[in-house]
Amino acid sequence: MQIIDAHAHIFPSKVAERAVDSIGSFYDIKMDAGGTAEALLKSGEKAGISRYLVCSVATRADQVESINRFLAEETQMHPAFVPFAAIHPGIDNIEETVEKAIEAGFYGLKLHPDFQQFAIDDTCAEPIYRAAEGKLPILFHTGDRRYDYSDPKKLARMMDKYPELVCIGAHFGGWSCWNEVEQVYHGYPNVYFDTSSSLPFLKPEQAAELIERMGAERFFFGTDFPMWTHEDELARFQKLNLSEDVKEQILWKNFSRVVLHEK
């Protein structure tokens, strides 16, 4: 069986250690894995991962171009990578940046409202949604009770305005807001979810119930590497009381259909 990691971060070697430390501090989680492409592949190989959605967050507008150049270069060297381009509401040339990302072979865009300090439904982000609608999916960090930026309800409100936009709400659609997500996302078929950074916190029966009730066809397996290793996340996923067919859907089939457009 194929396994696709639908949520992984990589950083240039010169900043990888600092970036990992910063993320660990932000979430108060001890992170032992390295943040380079080589570290990602080494971790994934142990768990039999075949492909990886790779991304990095532009915390400032002036980082977008260099991050996307780095991701493109790493993808050229590692064909298993499925790159999602960095973007930031503060850049001047949003439409041009999205078109360049498409031309360069990026499969989607990545936004982290908490790191980038904008609300998902803020008008400053709408040019991104208009440029991406019907063209590229957007992977959103969603949910954090400490902040209001990425509240799942804000993603739902944005989808009311841009119903043709394909979105991936990371972390079961709302990190630390799992009791709310089923109701919030009801009626939004273009919103998908990944399992990243959730299985260490959810009970297996709770995670399986959310998947069943929100629709297994809308879920992708993701690790949020380097926050968690592939072996650990896969072991957590395999503990869920799901049929083998459903597990196969989540481990690779849904991502292949929605993001890679493969049957």
Side-chain angles (χ1 to χ4, degrees), residues 161-206:
K161 297 184 71 172
Y162 301 95
E164 299 305 315
L165 182 64
V166 174
C167 297
I168 305 166
H171 324 310
F172 273 72
W175 187 79
S176 75
C177 304
W178 297 295
N179 291 332
E180 307 166 15
V181 292
E182 180 189 356
Q183 182 177 358
V184 169
Y185 294 119
H186 180 73
Y188 296 99
N190 280 343
V191 180
Y192 296 83
F193 315 101
D194 71 38
T195 66
S196 70
S197 284
S198 298
L199 299 180
F201 307 103
L202 292 168
K203 294 179 180 179
E205 58 270 25
Q206 184 183 6

Side-chain angles (χ1 to χ4, degrees), residues 210-228:
L210 281 172
I211 289 170
E212 180 180 355
R213 294 174 68 167
M214 294 167 70
E217 72 282 358
R218 301 170 73 185
F219 276 85
F220 311 145
F221 172 75
T223 65
D224 217 358
F225 182 91
M227 293 192 73
W228 317 99

Side-chain angles (χ1 to χ4, degrees), residues 107-158:
Y107 285 82
L109 306 174
K110 166 66 176 178
L111 288 169
H112 195 308
D114 297 344
F115 285 178
Q116 296 172 306
Q117 296 189 325
F118 75 94
I120 291 178
D121 60 351
D122 196 306
T123 55
C124 75
E126 291 195 42
I128 297 175
Y129 309 148
R130 287 194 294 269
E133 190 172 23
K135 296 178 181 178
L136 290 177
I138 301 178
L139 170 59
F140 287 89
H141 168 88
T142 45
D144 192 325
R145 293 201 179 278
R146 300 173 298 172
Y147 308 99
D148 192 46
Y149 299 116
S150 61
D151 188 309
K153 291 187 289 293
K154 293 183 179 294
L155 180 57
R157 284 197 291 269
M158 184 273 296

Side-chain angles (χ1 to χ4, degrees), residues 10-26:
I10 55 172
F11 310 96
S13 299
K14 63 182 180 180
V15 302
E17 183 176 354
R18 188 164 69 250
V20 171
D21 288 344
S22 177
I23 295 170
S25 297
F26 189 85

Side-chain angles (χ1 to χ4, degrees), residues 2 6 16 27 29 39 42 44 49 57 80 94 96 116 135 159-160 190 194 216-217 225 231 240:
Q2 291 189 65
Y27 288 108
I29 293 173
K42 183 177 180 180
I49 307 299
V57 178
I94 286 174
E96 180 183 349
Q116 296 172 306
K135 296 178 181 178
M159 289 301 296
D160 287 332
N190 280 343
D194 71 38
E217 72 282 358
F225 182 91
E231 285 185 305
L240 304 185

